Amino acid sequence: MTIGIFDSTSRRRELMAELCAKKADVFCWAGNAVPHRWDKISGNEDNLKKDEPLPHMGLMLVHGNDADAFDAALISPPCVVWYGGHRGDWRDYPKLLHRGRGDGGKIFEVQEDAAITLTERDVTDLIAYAGAIARRESPTKPRCLLPPPDPSVLNAIAILCQGFVAAGVSAGKIPVGDELVSLIGWNRLQAVAMARLSGRLSDLWPEVNRVKWWRRSLGVSKDSGEGHDDERYRRLLVRLVAALLTSTEASKKLPVKPDQSIEDKTTDELETALKTLSYSTEIVTLVERLKATGTEQVGVERIRKALNQVTTLLSKQ
Amino acid sequence: MTMIEQPDWQRRRSDFNHQWLKNRLLSALDTAGHVIRGRVHGTGYLQELIEVDVPEWKERRDDLGALLRDFEVQMSPRQMFNFPPLANLEPTARELFSELMHELWLVRHPVAEWVEGAKTAGSDVNEHYERLIKIAPLDAKGQVRPEFATEFEQFRSACRALSKAIEKFPNRILVT
């Protein structure tokens, strides 16, 4: 396959070309209609010879800032992927933007606020994906085209777990020497801050140890306040999957077709997939507790396991 | 439940550091460096650099000041309590957990160090800027003045250091 790169910023275009050239022939457009061949050996862009025909591009990678200059009709690739993003240093490029919408013949949505690092493996996946689209198949979206990770639910769980620990130690239900206490940094707080917070946190302990409180705090309670709402619970699982989906393991466990989204998955599908992910089992067990009835308690050990896992996951994002 | 938006602070940092400082100013300074070392002809470029690109610092230094002032508020985990699901916590827990998370954030991460580091780097850029703009780049024969070349390198080096200092800030709200 031949890959085209359309990007008016030369350093970024060269980085992208160098990466893609490990897997395919590459042609570059510097944000205008003139293509250049990428020479794999010299790492330079060469002019095309006079009257040399331009090969068919099986895949075009186009930077979002060059959307106005890019004329898909002129090159007519079967698959166009937009990339871009302004996070961090340009040396972190190439990064890829996600989210294919509709079939691969259509232009992908530009998501300026989310980027992941593109790897050789991703280029291989994209080539296979573009090839399948050209053959009019319905391939599974590669990892790099899935929605960007949304850590909000992991952040919320991490915060609630830390609040639980702080309330527990303030109420004397978790020993000061417990590793949970040092994990959250409670013992590093200044004495003034600790004194200001601990009395009020202690009062919260009976509440935060109840499943009912967690259900309400994570937004899955029924309007009546009793029990969980099925659809709200399913949406929580969707968010949890969204936080994990860009990992290779998660994208394999929950395949998404070009015209599908994670939002379409059922509770069973989501729970089954999440339970098989080695790095989220404890979080899922905590979330499943939200379906408990009666006046059940969450328990320190459940929180310990979930907090350890969520801390590990967030540290990798 | 909706996803928390990318904090406005991150967009402003990106505008300053990625879009302006690196992609425009440092890129222009790198080109000027080639001119000064004689690798590329175009001494007219230096005049334009001094008249157009470098003076932008005067406007941008205020943006930097505001960015550093706002960091502790806008990138604190307290912000998480403005979005679902934590925005829906009952008021007592919301207020208390919000305060707790901010205090824990301050002891877990070198927040003051990040801000001071960037402030110092910004002051260095400013100091070298004030010196640089007082030196004409070319002498009567159209040659680059040695004192300009020296001050130019110091200004460029200070800009790079500032960029590195801004990169040290986290790119997301840290909750653990």
Side-chain angles (χ1 to χ4, degrees), chain A residues 11 65 85-91 93 113 149-150 152-153 155-156 158-160 162-164 166 183-186 188-190 193 196-197 200-201 204 208 213 216-219 235-236 239 311 314-315 317, chain B residues 1-6 10 13-15 17-19 22-23 26-27 30 77 80-81 84-86 88-90 92-93 95-97 99-101 103-104 107-109 160 163-164 167 171-176:
Chain A
R11 286 182 292 197
N65 287 352
H86 301 307
R87 275 208 215 158
D89 193 291
W90 67 266
R91 294 170 191 84
Y93 275 88
D113 61 346
D150 169 9
S152 58
V153 70
N155 285 332
I159 287 172
L160 294 176
Q162 290 173 76
F164 175 99
L183 175 69
I184 70 166
W186 174 264
R188 281 182 277 156
L189 285 181
Q190 289 189 345
R196 194 176 64 241
L197 291 163
R200 290 176 292 155
L201 282 166
L204 276 183
V208 300
W213 182 87
R216 206 171 53 230
S217 300
L218 286 169
R235 273 189 255 141
L236 178 67
R239 294 296 168 205
T311 302
L314 285 172
S315 70
Q317 289 193 346
Chain B
M1 194 186 299
T2 55
M3 169 179 183
I4 186 170
E5 296 296 322
Q6 185 184 10
Q10 293 293 347
R13 168 167 79 161
S14 174
D15 282 349
N17 199 33
H18 181 81
Q19 301 285 59
K22 284 183 189 167
N23 280 359
L26 274 169
S27 188
D30 287 346
M80 294 289 176
F81 294 83
L86 298 180
N88 301 325
L89 278 180
E90 57 93 16
T92 309
E95 185 192 333
L96 201 44
F97 282 14
E99 195 179 335
L100 169 72
M101 290 308 299
E103 295 290 345
L104 291 176
V107 296
R108 286 193 295 227
H109 303 286
R160 280 188 184 139
S163 182
K164 289 282 170 210
E167 279 171 21
N171 60 11
R172 63 185 170 87
I173 293 176
L174 300 172
V175 302
T176 55

Side-chain angles (χ1 to χ4, degrees), chain B residues 24-157:
Chain B
R24 288 186 43 200
L25 184 60
L26 274 169
S27 188
L29 293 175
D30 287 346
T31 305
H34 290 310
V35 174
I36 289 171
R37 283 194 294 275
R39 289 183 189 162
V40 178
H41 294 294
T43 43
Y45 188 86
L46 297 181
Q47 203 59 43
E48 192 182 322
L49 179 85
I50 290 303
E51 287 170 5
V52 179
D53 297 307
V54 171
E56 275 193 50
W57 167 254
K58 273 191 300 185
E59 296 153 34
R60 292 292 185 158
R61 63 188 170 193
D62 292 342
D63 296 342
L64 175 66
L67 192 68
L68 301 182
R69 267 196 309 279
D70 295 344
F71 174 73
E72 190 176 325
V73 171
Q74 292 199 4
M75 289 302 289
S76 161
R78 268 188 171 146
Q79 293 295 329
M80 294 289 176
F81 294 83
N82 295 327
F83 297 90
L86 298 180
N88 301 325
L89 278 180
E90 57 93 16
T92 309
R94 186 176 170 218
E95 185 192 333
L96 201 44
F97 282 14
S98 160
E99 195 179 335
L100 169 72
M101 290 308 299
H102 185 77
E103 295 290 345
L104 291 176
W105 179 66
L106 290 175
V107 296
R108 286 193 295 227
H109 303 286
V111 174
E113 202 177 294
W114 289 327
V115 174
E116 282 309 312
K119 262 187 197 169
T120 305
S123 298
D124 282 350
V125 171
N126 203 47
E127 199 177 301
H128 290 297
Y129 164 79
E130 296 294 350
R131 286 193 213 148
L132 183 67
I133 54 165
K134 288 178 184 146
I135 308 169
L138 305 176
D139 62 19
K141 292 177 185 167
Q143 299 296 306
V144 178
R145 288 178 196 273
E147 62 268 37
F148 176 84
T150 305
E151 196 50 55
F152 168 86
E153 277 307 330
Q154 286 177 349
F155 177 69
R156 181 162 62 151
S157 169

